[in-house]
Amino acid sequence: MPVLGYHSISDERRDGTLRWSVSPGDFDEQMALIRGRGSTPLTVSRYAAVLRGVAPLPPRPVLITFDDGFPDLAETALPVLRRYDLTATAYVITSRLGVTRPAGSDPALDWDGLAELRAHGVEIGSHSRTHQALDCLRRRELDSEVARSRRELEDGLRAPVSSFAYPYGYHSPAVCRAVQAAGYSSACAVKNALSHEEDEVFAIARILIERDTGTEALEALLDGRGWPPAWRGEHLRTRGWRAYRQVRRVVHAARPAARRPRMPDRSEPPDRGRELAS
């Protein structure tokens, strides 16, 4: 069950790298491949119903998801999705919506662009309020990131929001409980593994699509080749990586501001493509 995780559909650097920016031409070829193979595109919420056993699994299912909410999602990706009659799920960071970003920062969707996506069948979900590593936050901060972002989206869209995607893929049992308590009915992780009918509805496995993925690699992915099946629970290395990040956060917060080193914008493992917090 391939659940594809995209970020930017552009030739622009995002977060200082081109790794997560798929060129518009490549994206068009990939969507044409999905349509040409007769795949059935699902939103995450519809797939969550399959995982719960209350909806049937259609033939050749595929999920297309987007994280972060860059403007090219509405400007570039949406016309391609419409051309090939494909649906998708977009996860957005609510504090950035419609806000003029500081010089040098990545741009973000505005509310009009978000409404256009939804009007054309793209499911809108939350990617938290400020895109922090949720498994390192205190309970009050976690609740704000998870519950407040849902309220902001529902108020802005005047529609229910039922799916969540963990920033960087980082989650823990406590984070999953907070997502459920906030009223979501599904959540996407990363894992870089193939989902299946026994996957966890609050930690759906995705595979991140990179700039150099290409149609040949995508075809293998759609065939279920080259990637492991998703596992339940957490790997030991995931817990170790979380513990390291939690300690680093405490040490950083304890240092006087003038002596703090500049922290990287993205708190992630050295090889994000290998594992983004299962």
Side-chain angles (χ1 to χ4, degrees):
M1 193 85 65
V3 184
L4 314 180
Y6 288 91
H7 287 80
S8 178
I9 307 303
S10 72
D11 293 315
E12 301 296 326
R13 291 179 178 272
R14 304 301 188 201
D15 289 329
T17 179
L18 279 172
R19 183 177 181 182
W20 311 111
S21 297
V22 174
S23 76
D26 286 349
F27 181 72
D28 192 299
E29 289 182 3
Q30 291 168 14
M31 297 304 102
L33 174 64
I34 290 173
R35 173 49 62 205
R37 289 170 58 92
S39 298
T40 304
L42 304 177
T43 64
V44 172
S45 288
R46 184 180 171 193
Y47 180 51
V50 172
L51 294 180
R52 288 192 170 90
V54 297
L57 187 66
R60 305 183 71 85
V62 64
L63 279 71
I64 304 165
T65 70
F66 299 86
D67 283 1
D68 296 347
F70 297 113
D72 52 68
L73 175 53
E75 298 165 357
T76 307
L78 179 59
V80 176
L81 294 172
R82 294 185 64 192
R83 183 182 310 132
Y84 296 110
D85 193 25
L86 300 172
T87 191
T89 300
Y91 293 104
V92 298
I93 303 164
T94 59
S95 68
R96 300 180 185 178
L97 289 170
V99 175
T100 301
R101 303 278 288 153
S105 299
D106 293 326
L109 275 166
D110 58 21
W111 285 99
D112 288 340
L114 200 64
E116 182 182 11
L117 288 165
R118 185 176 180 277
H120 290 292
V122 175
E123 179 183 20
I124 306 300
S126 171
H127 198 36
S128 81
R129 189 166 189 279
T130 63
H131 203 267
Q132 298 188 63
L134 301 182
D135 57 350
C136 289
L137 298 183
R138 297 183 179 90
R139 178 58 185 269
R140 182 177 297 179
E141 296 173 305
L142 175 59
D143 289 344
S144 175
E145 289 289 326
V146 173
R148 183 176 173 185
S149 64
R150 181 170 185 246
R151 291 195 301 269
E152 290 173 340
L153 278 176
E154 291 187 332
D155 289 346
L157 293 172
R158 299 183 182 277
V161 171
S162 58
S163 193
F164 189 88
Y166 306 109
Y168 316 109
Y170 294 155
H171 62 286
S172 67
V175 173
C176 292
R177 288 194 295 271
V179 169
Q180 294 179 61
Y184 297 95
S185 58
S186 65
C188 280
V190 176
K191 297 185 181 180
N192 281 313
L194 289 163
S195 185
H196 48 78
E197 290 182 87
E198 299 299 320
D199 202 359
E200 299 169 280
V201 73
F202 282 96
I204 295 171
R206 293 187 293 173
I207 294 174
L208 298 181
I209 305 301
E210 303 184 24
R211 187 170 183 83
D212 61 356
T213 296
T215 54
E216 184 176 340
L218 181 63
E219 188 162 19
L221 171 56
L222 295 174
D223 285 337
R225 295 184 283 112
W227 298 90
W231 52 90
R232 298 183 70 87
E234 295 183 321
H235 284 160
L236 181 61
R237 66 184 182 186
T238 299
R239 297 176 186 173
W241 176 244
R242 179 186 305 130
Y244 166 77
R245 290 183 292 105
Q246 289 172 339
V247 170
R248 186 177 64 175
R249 180 182 177 91
V250 170
V251 170
H252 177 70
R255 291 178 179 173
R259 296 175 55 192
R260 290 177 188 169
R262 181 182 179 275
M263 299 298 287
D265 183 53
R266 282 188 175 270
S267 176
E268 62 188 47
D271 185 358
R272 185 183 183 198
R274 179 171 57 83
E275 173 160 330
L276 246 182
S278 57

